[in-house]
Amino acid sequence: MGLFDIFKNTEGEQDSGLSKETNDNAAADAQRYEFSLQKTESISALLQISPEARDQQWLSKLLTDLPHASFRSGNPQIIAGPDGFPYFQLFLPQPGETFQNFIIDLMVPDFLLERGYGIVINPDGGHPDWILSYGDLLNYKLNGSFLTQDNSFNQENDEELTAGEEVLIGQPSENILPSATRKLLKDFFELNGVEDPKVLLMMRKKGEEMQQDLAFNITPDKFDSETTFRNMMQTVTWYLPRHYSVIGLHDDALNSGFMPL
């Protein structure tokens, strides 16, 4: 039995004897699935629009409807992307197709964040319709959207502290770096040869405002080359919302403010 069959009544069907409460629950479930299918149809229509005709309004509509659309999974469900990270495959269902229903809004808290998966939409042919990194999904969990415009993080990408710079330090809260994400980052760093990875949240004065950076005890001297270090720092951002800024510092740079991941 698939999604399209679950709530379908057979013509001339006899009274089942189910209670009103049971029928009400079934009706509520039916409405939920209907809503999901409406979003699926919306996503399908949006993806048929040619890339050159896609504007900001198109993007906003896609990212709004995407979490609540119904998808089927691929076989296998998890694949490795060209970047080496694991992605859960989701496909738009064909008309009349029966399938196990997957909804991103439910998948994110159920298992995606804990297991460290991103999502790839319709990856057949090597040209996916859309890709969501783990950081995009984390942002959805924390902020209710895949992308967030947030100026509280450093926008200047300056990677070094200057003499006399005003800095406040602390630990990122669960609302910035949840424990599941910290564990994934710890495992990632250790897998890549970083012993005892640590983190802190740094507040720096920029003009009249204070802006944040996530700092890790990762510096070029811990790697074979500057290029390897740069690649590592870039790769870390896959795990984080896109508006976060990341910096690498020595363990003793801020009076031992680092704490283990």
Side-chain angles (χ1 to χ4, degrees), residues 121-139:
I121 307 293
N122 297 333
D124 278 353
H127 298 285
D129 283 321
W130 205 257
I131 297 174
L132 296 168
S133 70
Y134 178 91
D136 295 333
L137 301 180
L138 175 60
N139 196 67

Side-chain angles (χ1 to χ4, degrees), residues 47 62 81 126 132 153 184 187 189 191-192 203 214 227 235-236 243 253 261:
L47 293 178
L62 178 81
L132 296 168
F153 279 87
L184 290 169
D187 292 344
F189 285 135
L191 183 64
N192 286 275
M203 300 286 292
L214 269 181
T227 299
T235 304
V236 167
H243 62 280
L261 275 168

Side-chain angles (χ1 to χ4, degrees), residues 161-167 205:
L161 297 176
T162 57
E165 185 173 352
E166 296 183 36
V167 175
K205 191 169 184 179

Side-chain angles (χ1 to χ4, degrees), residues 134 138 142 153 171-186 189 198-201 212 214-216 236 239-241 244 246 259-261:
Y134 178 91
L138 175 60
L142 297 177
F153 279 87
Q171 279 296 300
S173 69
E174 189 75 8
N175 290 329
I176 292 178
L177 197 65
S179 55
T181 307
R182 292 175 72 116
K183 181 181 184 304
L184 290 169
L185 285 168
K186 179 178 184 293
F189 285 135
K198 299 176 183 178
V199 66
L200 62 78
L201 184 67
Q212 305 175 101
L214 269 181
F216 299 98
V236 167
Y239 289 98
L240 302 171
Y244 282 19
V246 177
M259 296 291 290
L261 275 168

Side-chain angles (χ1 to χ4, degrees), residues 2 14 20 45 57 74 82 112 117 161 164 185 201 216:
Q14 298 298 315
K20 181 180 184 301
Q57 183 177 359
L112 290 177
Y117 299 149
L161 297 176
L185 285 168
L201 184 67
F216 299 98

Side-chain angles (χ1 to χ4, degrees), residues 2-234:
L3 178 62
F4 293 104
D5 305 309
I6 292 176
F7 306 109
K8 184 168 59 179
N9 292 323
T10 303
E11 187 175 356
E13 187 176 17
Q14 298 298 315
D15 189 321
S16 64
L18 296 176
S19 67
K20 181 180 184 301
E21 181 179 358
T22 301
N23 285 328
D24 288 345
N25 289 339
D29 285 342
Q31 291 177 351
R32 179 170 177 245
Y33 275 93
E34 180 181 2
F35 173 77
S36 298
L37 292 173
Q38 289 173 349
K39 297 300 185 183
T40 305
E41 293 171 358
S42 170
I43 296 298
S44 179
L46 287 168
L47 293 178
Q48 292 177 31
I49 296 175
S50 61
E52 58 271 15
R54 299 175 182 180
D55 54 14
Q56 188 60 40
Q57 183 177 359
W58 177 93
L59 177 62
S60 177
K61 178 66 173 172
L62 178 81
L63 297 182
T64 298
D65 289 350
L66 197 59
H68 304 288
S70 290
F71 294 94
R72 66 174 177 85
S73 68
N75 185 18
Q77 291 181 333
I78 309 301
I79 61 171
D83 54 11
F85 286 111
Y87 291 88
F88 196 103
Q89 296 191 93
L90 291 178
F91 293 86
L92 287 169
Q94 297 299 313
E97 179 183 13
T98 60
F99 62 98
Q100 182 180 359
N101 188 24
F102 286 89
I103 299 175
I104 294 174
D105 180 65
L106 304 178
M107 297 168 66
V108 168
D110 283 352
F111 64 93
L112 290 177
L113 290 186
E114 181 178 354
R115 298 184 187 179
Y117 299 149
I119 286 177
V120 58
I121 307 293
N122 297 333
D124 278 353
H127 298 285
D129 283 321
W130 205 257
I131 297 174
L132 296 168
S133 70
Y134 178 91
D136 295 333
L137 301 180
L138 175 60
N139 196 67
Y140 181 77
K141 171 65 175 178
L142 297 177
N143 301 304
S145 62
F146 297 120
L147 302 175
T148 297
Q149 298 296 324
D150 185 350
N151 293 328
S152 65
F153 279 87
N154 184 7
Q155 305 297 306
E156 299 178 10
N157 295 321
D158 42 350
E159 301 176 352
E160 296 183 2
L161 297 176
T162 57
E165 185 173 352
E166 296 183 36
V167 175
L168 298 174
I169 59 173
Q171 279 296 300
S173 69
E174 189 75 8
N175 290 329
I176 292 178
L177 197 65
S179 55
T181 307
R182 292 175 72 116
K183 181 181 184 304
L184 290 169
L185 285 168
K186 179 178 184 293
D187 292 344
F188 170 75
F189 285 135
E190 290 179 344
L191 183 64
N192 286 275
V194 178
E195 298 181 0
D196 193 22
K198 299 176 183 178
V199 66
L200 62 78
L201 184 67
M202 180 172 61
M203 300 286 292
R204 311 165 69 182
K205 191 169 184 179
K206 300 293 182 181
E208 297 302 316
E209 298 181 353
M210 298 295 288
Q211 293 188 333
Q212 305 175 101
D213 293 278
L214 269 181
F216 299 98
N217 63 330
I218 303 172
T219 49
D221 56 283
K222 294 186 178 182
F223 299 90
D224 294 336
S225 67
E226 177 80 15
T227 299
T228 304
F229 165 72
R230 295 292 175 192
N231 289 339
M232 172 66 72
M233 295 301 289
Q234 179 61 39

